[in-house]
Structure formats: C-alpha cells, structure tokens
Amino acid sequence: MDNSIKIFGLIIILFLNGCAQDKDVLIKSIKTVTGTAIEQVDEIIQDEIKRDFDDGAIDNQNSIVNFDKEGRVLRKMFFQSDLEVNFTQNYEYNNLGDVTLVSNFQDGNLVGKEYYKYDEYNRLFGVKTIEADGSVSNFTMVTYEDNNNTVITKYYKSDDFYSQGILQQTQIEKFDSNKNLIYRRVEFGEDMEVYQDRFKTYQYDSLNQLILIESYQKDMPESFINNGGREASYSKYQEEEFEYDEFGNVVKDFMFHDIAMLSKNYKYVYQYNDFGDWIKCVRYQNEIPMFITLRDISYY
C-alpha cells in the first residue's frame, strides 16, 4: 500500500530524517531530545530540555521510537523535560504491513485504542477510537476519487445522543502522479461555532522534495456579497519555502504571513553519523540559535 495515501493519523508531517532504513543498516530506535540553545565560544550546547512548540521543518517531540526490521514503528514513547515517559503508543500490523491497532497509554494506564480498517482494495477507509471504558470517542471515514488521487477524510465526534456522530472536519487531499500531496482543503463541521474554509497547495522539485506551501482562506462573507453574488473567493494568507542539503534534510525554511506581514526565517545545521543519519540539529531563527535537537540512534 502506498504510504503517501495511507498516512497514520491521516496527517502528513514534514519529517525529513536522512533515514538509514533506505541503506544497508536498519534503525532499531531513535531517541529525540529538544532543548533551548546556548551559544558558547566554540560551540552551541543544549540547555533546558523542552519541546520547540513553535515547530519547524523537523519533528522535535521528545520521544523514543522503536522500529522492527521492516522499518515499521513498534512503539512511540513521549516524555517531558524530566525525561520520564508519560505517554506511549504501541502499534500492531496485519500481514500486509498495514497498521491495524494503536494502543495508547498515559502514565502506564490504557486510555484508548485506535482501530484501522481497510477496504477490498487494501485502502484505509476508517479509524475508530475506543476509550478505556469501551465508549467510542471519535471515528474517521475515508473515501477515494479520481483513481485514488483524491482522498476525502471526514472526522466525527461520537456522542450518545448522535449514533451517527457529529461531523467535526472534512479534509480533501489531492495527489499527483508521483503520489505527492499537491492540495489540501479543510472544512470545519457542524458543531463548530465559526465555519472556516481553508486550503493549501504544495509544490515539489525534480527530486520530489517539497519546496513551497501556499495557504489560502475563504474571504469574509461581506467580501463575496460585494462580489456580486458570485462564487466565494479565496485569499492567500501564508507561504512557506524550503531548501535541502544533499541528504534530503531541510536546511532553510522561510515563512511569510501575507495578512499579518510577518516573516520567519529558519536555518537548520546538522551533524551526521557514519551512516548518514543526523544526530544533532541546531535550529536558527533569523540567524539566532534557538533550539537544539539531539538524536541517539541505535541499529540492528
């Protein structure tokens, strides 16, 4: 099954890690720790351990991820600044290598399970989240159009009074012939006080590396009233550009918010191990070192 379509959690995350799973060695586990950066005379060191909630082009959650020899995630463990694991996810797969169950634990106690279901074409068509008490908290339904190049995902919140669930969000994604995401539109649903309609477009280089994200939102009602009753218009409010090194990792990330007229210029400097996997990443914002992410990688 094409992993560009079947995405765990139905979210695409730009996590470019120079992964050794494509090489002669196999990753067994990755421990990731992010902290604030302190600049000394000849080096930049990690200070207080914390997640960079401003986020960026790399996944910087403090975590330990275990893999099997097929490169599949077996377990994810997340921790805070005290380095004690407080949330764990265990993964199970079918004989085709598709995830079928994710069990979630908070402080060692089971808090819920996510069940993944597939259709006769082995496409993901539903995810159901069951709480520890057996109740359904939410579920997701997925449909496909245009020869699988368009994926429509509907997210529902379950409620005892609504057996069919309450539609919270609809996501429409389109992919190109290389299975790259090129369009994502999100509509918020029935129980949201304010209706929002936004979409993003994605562009890639000749290596299928994401180089540009443009974000659009629907104009306010008065603007399309003045539009003579024609179809609602959209305005671009943000764009983000990426550059990469020879390992395929993001080294520059420039973000500009058109409406607020604000920009953020990120730079990433990596240190690699002998297998070509990065083990240290210093993140700069406007040339100032802000965060350091360290990765301890073990191999089979």
Side-chain angles (χ1 to χ4, degrees):
M1 166 59 68
D2 190 332
N3 285 332
S4 67
I5 297 293
K6 282 178 10 187
I7 302 160
F8 297 164
L10 306 175
I11 301 172
I12 291 181
I13 299 176
L14 186 58
F15 181 21
L16 300 164
N17 60 9
C19 184
Q21 305 295 54
D22 297 329
K23 306 170 189 173
D24 294 332
V25 293
L26 300 174
I27 292 177
K28 186 175 183 180
S29 68
I30 301 177
K31 180 179 180 180
T32 304
V33 180
T34 295
T36 53
I38 294 182
E39 190 169 12
Q40 297 188 339
V41 175
D42 56 352
E43 66 174 339
I44 299 173
I45 64 172
Q46 190 179 80
D47 188 25
E48 181 184 0
I49 296 175
K50 61 183 293 186
R51 184 183 177 192
D52 172 8
F53 284 100
D54 194 23
D55 286 330
I58 67 169
D59 184 353
N60 52 46
Q61 284 188 306
N62 294 323
S63 64
I64 301 173
V65 182
N66 297 327
F67 303 87
D68 64 14
K69 291 185 177 180
E70 302 298 323
R72 299 174 301 194
V73 174
L74 294 177
R75 176 177 295 175
K76 292 181 180 181
M77 295 168 282
F78 301 93
F79 51 86
Q80 303 298 323
S81 58
D82 57 7
L83 298 182
E84 293 187 8
V85 174
N86 61 358
F87 190 79
T88 300
Q89 294 180 310
N90 294 332
Y91 290 75
E92 297 181 19
Y93 299 84
N94 60 22
N95 57 4
L96 297 176
D98 303 315
V99 65
T100 56
L101 175 63
V102 178
S103 301
N104 300 315
F105 296 84
Q106 183 78 44
D107 297 323
N109 299 312
L110 180 67
V111 294
K113 294 183 176 182
E114 301 168 15
Y115 292 88
Y116 292 73
K117 299 295 183 181
Y118 303 87
D119 63 16
E120 65 271 25
Y121 302 106
N122 197 36
R123 303 175 305 186
L124 180 68
F125 79 86
V127 182
K128 181 181 290 187
T129 301
I130 308 294
E131 300 294 332
D133 61 4
S135 62
V136 178
S137 61
N138 57 74
F139 61 93
T140 300
M141 301 299 295
V142 186
T143 57
Y144 301 83
E145 298 177 356
D146 188 27
N147 196 29
N148 295 332
N149 289 324
T150 298
V151 181
I152 302 172
T153 307
K154 292 182 180 291
Y155 300 87
Y156 296 87
K157 180 178 69 175
S158 182
D159 191 301
D160 291 339
F161 300 102
Y162 296 88
S163 59
Q164 300 299 317
I166 301 173
L167 179 62
Q168 288 190 302
Q169 180 177 306
T170 299
Q171 178 175 272
I172 302 171
E173 296 175 311
K174 296 183 180 180
F175 299 82
D176 64 17
S177 58
N178 293 317
K179 301 305 180 184
N180 294 317
L181 177 69
I182 57 174
Y183 173 91
R184 174 185 285 150
R185 175 180 172 182
V186 176
E187 298 177 359
F188 293 92
E190 302 165 3
D191 66 337
M192 305 294 289
E193 291 184 2
V194 178
Y195 177 86
Q196 298 184 51
D197 188 352
R198 298 183 176 186
F199 69 87
K200 295 183 178 183
T201 60
Y202 303 79
Q203 297 181 27
Y204 300 81
D205 62 17
S206 59
L207 299 176
N208 289 320
Q209 296 177 141
L210 179 64
I211 57 173
L212 177 64
I213 302 175
E214 294 181 308
S215 302
Y216 298 82
Q217 64 185 8
K218 181 182 285 187
D219 295 327
M220 296 299 291
E222 55 268 21
S223 65
F224 50 83
I225 289 174
N226 296 332
N227 199 24
R230 297 191 298 272
E231 184 177 351
S233 59
Y234 292 81
S235 298
K236 184 172 70 172
Y237 67 91
Q238 181 173 287
E239 63 182 28
E240 190 168 6
E241 300 176 356
F242 305 95
E243 295 182 14
Y244 300 83
D245 63 12
E246 67 272 22
F247 294 98
N249 293 306
V250 173
V251 292
K252 290 185 179 180
D253 175 8
F254 178 75
M255 181 185 300
F256 181 75
H257 197 292
D258 291 49
I259 298 177
M261 300 299 290
L262 296 175
S263 65
K264 293 182 179 180
N265 192 2
Y266 300 120
K267 181 176 73 173
Y268 303 87
V269 177
Y270 300 90
Q271 178 182 332
Y272 293 89
N273 63 16
D274 293 337
F275 298 110
D277 295 312
W278 69 265
I279 54 176
K280 177 180 179 180
C281 176
V282 180
R283 173 182 167 179
Y284 296 78
Q285 181 174 335
N286 299 325
E287 300 300 325
I288 300 174
M290 301 295 292
F291 293 94
I292 296 181
T293 298
L294 302 177
R295 300 202 307 177
D296 183 8
I297 305 176
S298 64
Y299 300 88
Y300 281 102

Tab-separated table of all heavy atoms in Angstrom, residues 118-148:
chain	number	residue	atom	x	y	z
A	118	TYR	N	-9.612	-1.451	6.484
A	118	TYR	CA	-9.257	-1.295	5.081
A	118	TYR	C	-10.335	-1.920	4.203
A	118	TYR	O	-11.030	-2.858	4.611
A	118	TYR	CB	-7.893	-1.935	4.816
A	118	TYR	CG	-6.809	-1.351	5.687
A	118	TYR	CD1	-6.566	-1.860	6.972
A	118	TYR	CD2	-6.059	-0.259	5.259
A	118	TYR	CE1	-5.598	-1.301	7.784
A	118	TYR	CE2	-5.080	0.299	6.064
A	118	TYR	CZ	-4.853	-0.223	7.333
A	118	TYR	OH	-3.904	0.349	8.138
A	119	ASP	N	-10.460	-1.399	2.975
A	119	ASP	CA	-11.468	-1.934	2.060
A	119	ASP	C	-10.885	-3.088	1.243
A	119	ASP	O	-9.748	-3.529	1.470
A	119	ASP	CB	-12.035	-0.827	1.163
A	119	ASP	CG	-10.983	-0.198	0.257
A	119	ASP	OD1	-9.899	-0.793	0.078
A	119	ASP	OD2	-11.249	0.892	-0.281
A	120	GLU	N	-11.656	-3.566	0.255
A	120	GLU	CA	-11.227	-4.719	-0.537
A	120	GLU	C	-10.022	-4.407	-1.425
A	120	GLU	O	-9.359	-5.330	-1.932
A	120	GLU	CB	-12.379	-5.225	-1.405
A	120	GLU	CG	-12.861	-4.263	-2.470
A	120	GLU	CD	-13.955	-3.328	-1.984
A	120	GLU	OE1	-14.008	-3.085	-0.752
A	120	GLU	OE2	-14.747	-2.849	-2.826
A	121	TYR	N	-9.714	-3.115	-1.601
A	121	TYR	CA	-8.539	-2.723	-2.375
A	121	TYR	C	-7.350	-2.415	-1.462
A	121	TYR	O	-6.347	-1.879	-1.909
A	121	TYR	CB	-8.855	-1.501	-3.228
A	121	TYR	CG	-9.997	-1.715	-4.179
A	121	TYR	CD1	-11.247	-1.142	-3.934
A	121	TYR	CD2	-9.859	-2.514	-5.316
A	121	TYR	CE1	-12.314	-1.347	-4.798
A	121	TYR	CE2	-10.915	-2.724	-6.186
A	121	TYR	CZ	-12.138	-2.139	-5.918
A	121	TYR	OH	-13.197	-2.348	-6.771
A	122	ASN	N	-7.496	-2.758	-0.193
A	122	ASN	CA	-6.470	-2.522	0.824
A	122	ASN	C	-6.190	-1.038	1.027
A	122	ASN	O	-5.076	-0.627	1.331
A	122	ASN	CB	-5.167	-3.249	0.483
A	122	ASN	CG	-4.249	-3.371	1.691
A	122	ASN	OD1	-4.724	-3.552	2.810
A	122	ASN	ND2	-2.964	-3.273	1.474
A	123	ARG	N	-7.235	-0.215	0.871
A	123	ARG	CA	-7.135	1.215	1.144
A	123	ARG	C	-7.746	1.491	2.512
A	123	ARG	O	-8.781	0.919	2.879
A	123	ARG	CB	-7.871	2.026	0.082
A	123	ARG	CG	-7.404	1.782	-1.345
A	123	ARG	CD	-8.255	2.533	-2.345
A	123	ARG	NE	-9.669	2.219	-2.217
A	123	ARG	CZ	-10.610	2.644	-3.041
A	123	ARG	NH1	-10.284	3.446	-4.054
A	123	ARG	NH2	-11.869	2.320	-2.871
A	124	LEU	N	-7.114	2.367	3.253
A	124	LEU	CA	-7.666	2.754	4.548
A	124	LEU	C	-9.024	3.398	4.349
A	124	LEU	O	-9.157	4.340	3.563
A	124	LEU	CB	-6.719	3.742	5.230
A	124	LEU	CG	-7.165	4.255	6.602
A	124	LEU	CD1	-7.132	3.127	7.622
A	124	LEU	CD2	-6.266	5.396	7.062
A	125	PHE	N	-10.066	2.899	5.042
A	125	PHE	CA	-11.373	3.547	4.901
A	125	PHE	C	-11.973	3.967	6.234
A	125	PHE	O	-12.982	4.674	6.247
A	125	PHE	CB	-12.365	2.646	4.160
A	125	PHE	CG	-12.989	1.563	4.992
A	125	PHE	CD1	-14.135	1.830	5.752
A	125	PHE	CD2	-12.472	0.289	5.012
A	125	PHE	CE1	-14.737	0.832	6.511
A	125	PHE	CE2	-13.061	-0.713	5.769
A	125	PHE	CZ	-14.180	-0.446	6.512
A	126	GLY	N	-11.349	3.609	7.356
A	126	GLY	CA	-11.915	4.053	8.623
A	126	GLY	C	-10.969	3.866	9.788
A	126	GLY	O	-10.153	2.937	9.811
A	127	VAL	N	-11.055	4.789	10.747
A	127	VAL	CA	-10.323	4.694	12.000
A	127	VAL	C	-11.316	4.990	13.124
A	127	VAL	O	-12.030	5.993	13.072
A	127	VAL	CB	-9.146	5.691	12.078
A	127	VAL	CG1	-8.392	5.526	13.389
A	127	VAL	CG2	-8.211	5.525	10.888
A	128	LYS	N	-11.359	4.108	14.108
A	128	LYS	CA	-12.274	4.298	15.236
A	128	LYS	C	-11.460	4.323	16.527
A	128	LYS	O	-10.618	3.459	16.756
A	128	LYS	CB	-13.306	3.176	15.294
A	128	LYS	CG	-14.317	3.319	16.433
A	128	LYS	CD	-15.311	2.166	16.449
A	128	LYS	CE	-16.251	2.255	15.267
A	128	LYS	NZ	-17.333	1.229	15.354
A	129	THR	N	-11.724	5.316	17.366
A	129	THR	CA	-11.036	5.451	18.645
A	129	THR	C	-11.963	5.012	19.770
A	129	THR	O	-13.057	5.560	19.932
A	129	THR	CB	-10.576	6.896	18.884
A	129	THR	OG1	-9.707	7.291	17.819
A	129	THR	CG2	-9.831	7.018	20.203
A	130	ILE	N	-11.528	4.016	20.534
A	130	ILE	CA	-12.301	3.460	21.647
A	130	ILE	C	-11.625	3.851	22.950
A	130	ILE	O	-10.423	3.624	23.130
A	130	ILE	CB	-12.396	1.922	21.559
A	130	ILE	CG1	-12.893	1.491	20.176
A	130	ILE	CG2	-13.300	1.381	22.665
A	130	ILE	CD1	-14.296	1.905	19.868
A	131	GLU	N	-12.384	4.457	23.861
A	131	GLU	CA	-11.838	4.829	25.158
A	131	GLU	C	-11.653	3.587	26.035
A	131	GLU	O	-12.124	2.490	25.712
A	131	GLU	CB	-12.769	5.824	25.853
A	131	GLU	CG	-12.993	7.116	25.079
A	131	GLU	CD	-11.733	7.953	24.945
A	131	GLU	OE1	-10.852	7.860	25.833
A	131	GLU	OE2	-11.621	8.687	23.951
A	132	ALA	N	-10.947	3.760	27.150
A	132	ALA	CA	-10.663	2.634	28.043
A	132	ALA	C	-11.943	2.015	28.592
A	132	ALA	O	-11.980	0.812	28.902
A	132	ALA	CB	-9.756	3.092	29.188
A	133	ASP	N	-13.020	2.799	28.716
A	133	ASP	CA	-14.283	2.271	29.241
A	133	ASP	C	-15.129	1.602	28.161
A	133	ASP	O	-16.252	1.163	28.420
A	133	ASP	CB	-15.087	3.371	29.924
A	133	ASP	CG	-15.465	4.514	28.965
A	133	ASP	OD1	-15.164	4.407	27.753
A	133	ASP	OD2	-16.043	5.509	29.442
A	134	GLY	N	-14.604	1.543	26.921
A	134	GLY	CA	-15.314	0.891	25.833
A	134	GLY	C	-16.156	1.811	24.982
A	134	GLY	O	-16.703	1.375	23.960
A	135	SER	N	-16.271	3.063	25.334
A	135	SER	CA	-17.072	4.003	24.555
A	135	SER	C	-16.297	4.504	23.348
A	135	SER	O	-15.059	4.551	23.346
A	135	SER	CB	-17.489	5.196	25.422
A	135	SER	OG	-16.352	5.916	25.871
A	136	VAL	N	-17.024	4.868	22.280
A	136	VAL	CA	-16.414	5.411	21.070
A	136	VAL	C	-16.292	6.921	21.233
A	136	VAL	O	-17.292	7.620	21.406
A	136	VAL	CB	-17.255	5.080	19.824
A	136	VAL	CG1	-16.610	5.694	18.577
A	136	VAL	CG2	-17.392	3.565	19.663
A	137	SER	N	-15.066	7.437	21.158
A	137	SER	CA	-14.882	8.883	21.330
A	137	SER	C	-14.912	9.614	19.990
A	137	SER	O	-15.420	10.729	19.901
A	137	SER	CB	-13.558	9.171	22.042
A	137	SER	OG	-12.463	8.701	21.287
A	138	ASN	N	-14.364	9.002	18.945
A	138	ASN	CA	-14.405	9.616	17.624
A	138	ASN	C	-14.099	8.562	16.567
A	138	ASN	O	-13.572	7.491	16.880
A	138	ASN	CB	-13.428	10.792	17.515
A	138	ASN	CG	-12.001	10.400	17.826
A	138	ASN	OD1	-11.335	9.744	17.029
A	138	ASN	ND2	-11.517	10.801	18.996
A	139	PHE	N	-14.439	8.872	15.330
A	139	PHE	CA	-14.116	7.967	14.239
A	139	PHE	C	-13.914	8.768	12.961
A	139	PHE	O	-14.340	9.920	12.842
A	139	PHE	CB	-15.187	6.884	14.058
A	139	PHE	CG	-16.565	7.396	13.738
A	139	PHE	CD1	-16.996	7.539	12.427
A	139	PHE	CD2	-17.449	7.732	14.758
A	139	PHE	CE1	-18.270	7.999	12.132
A	139	PHE	CE2	-18.726	8.198	14.477
A	139	PHE	CZ	-19.137	8.330	13.165
A	140	THR	N	-13.232	8.129	12.011
A	140	THR	CA	-12.853	8.760	10.754
A	140	THR	C	-13.282	7.877	9.608
A	140	THR	O	-13.121	6.657	9.665
A	140	THR	CB	-11.320	8.963	10.713
A	140	THR	OG1	-10.924	9.798	11.798
A	140	THR	CG2	-10.899	9.610	9.402
A	141	MET	N	-13.824	8.482	8.539
A	141	MET	CA	-14.216	7.749	7.340
A	141	MET	C	-13.463	8.330	6.148
A	141	MET	O	-13.369	9.553	5.989
A	141	MET	CB	-15.726	7.837	7.111
A	141	MET	CG	-16.570	7.287	8.274
A	141	MET	SD	-16.285	5.538	8.600
A	141	MET	CE	-16.904	4.813	7.071
A	142	VAL	N	-12.936	7.441	5.282
A	142	VAL	CA	-12.118	7.869	4.148
A	142	VAL	C	-12.724	7.327	2.859
A	142	VAL	O	-13.076	6.151	2.779
A	142	VAL	CB	-10.668	7.366	4.277
A	142	VAL	CG1	-9.797	7.949	3.158
A	142	VAL	CG2	-10.090	7.725	5.635
A	143	THR	N	-12.871	8.195	1.856
A	143	THR	CA	-13.326	7.783	0.528
A	143	THR	C	-12.321	8.258	-0.511
A	143	THR	O	-11.519	9.166	-0.251
A	143	THR	CB	-14.720	8.341	0.205
A	143	THR	OG1	-14.690	9.781	0.315
A	143	THR	CG2	-15.766	7.791	1.155
A	144	TYR	N	-12.389	7.638	-1.715
A	144	TYR	CA	-11.397	7.898	-2.746
A	144	TYR	C	-12.090	8.220	-4.063
A	144	TYR	O	-13.118	7.642	-4.395
A	144	TYR	CB	-10.481	6.684	-2.922
A	144	TYR	CG	-9.751	6.301	-1.659
A	144	TYR	CD1	-10.370	5.515	-0.687
A	144	TYR	CD2	-8.455	6.728	-1.419
A	144	TYR	CE1	-9.714	5.167	0.481
A	144	TYR	CE2	-7.787	6.392	-0.252
A	144	TYR	CZ	-8.424	5.610	0.691
A	144	TYR	OH	-7.767	5.276	1.851
A	145	GLU	N	-11.491	9.159	-4.807
A	145	GLU	CA	-11.996	9.539	-6.121
A	145	GLU	C	-10.821	9.716	-7.074
A	145	GLU	O	-9.660	9.709	-6.656
A	145	GLU	CB	-12.803	10.852	-6.032
A	145	GLU	CG	-14.040	10.774	-5.149
A	145	GLU	CD	-14.752	12.107	-5.048
A	145	GLU	OE1	-14.225	13.103	-5.603
A	145	GLU	OE2	-15.821	12.161	-4.410
A	146	ASP	N	-11.136	9.896	-8.368
A	146	ASP	CA	-10.133	10.233	-9.377
A	146	ASP	C	-8.970	9.248	-9.350
A	146	ASP	O	-7.797	9.629	-9.241
A	146	ASP	CB	-9.632	11.661	-9.145
A	146	ASP	CG	-8.730	12.167	-10.266
A	146	ASP	OD1	-8.889	11.677	-11.393
A	146	ASP	OD2	-7.871	13.033	-9.985
A	147	ASN	N	-9.308	7.959	-9.444
A	147	ASN	CA	-8.282	6.906	-9.489
A	147	ASN	C	-7.353	6.969	-8.277
A	147	ASN	O	-6.135	6.790	-8.381
A	147	ASN	CB	-7.461	7.014	-10.783
A	147	ASN	CG	-6.667	5.761	-11.070
A	147	ASN	OD1	-7.067	4.657	-10.681
A	147	ASN	ND2	-5.547	5.911	-11.755
A	148	ASN	N	-7.938	7.210	-7.124
A	148	ASN	CA	-7.236	7.265	-5.835
A	148	ASN	C	-6.380	8.516	-5.652
A	148	ASN	O	-5.674	8.640	-4.644
A	148	ASN	CB	-6.361	6.028	-5.601
A	148	ASN	CG	-7.156	4.756	-5.469
A	148	ASN	OD1	-8.313	4.780	-5.046
A	148	ASN	ND2	-6.559	3.633	-5.837
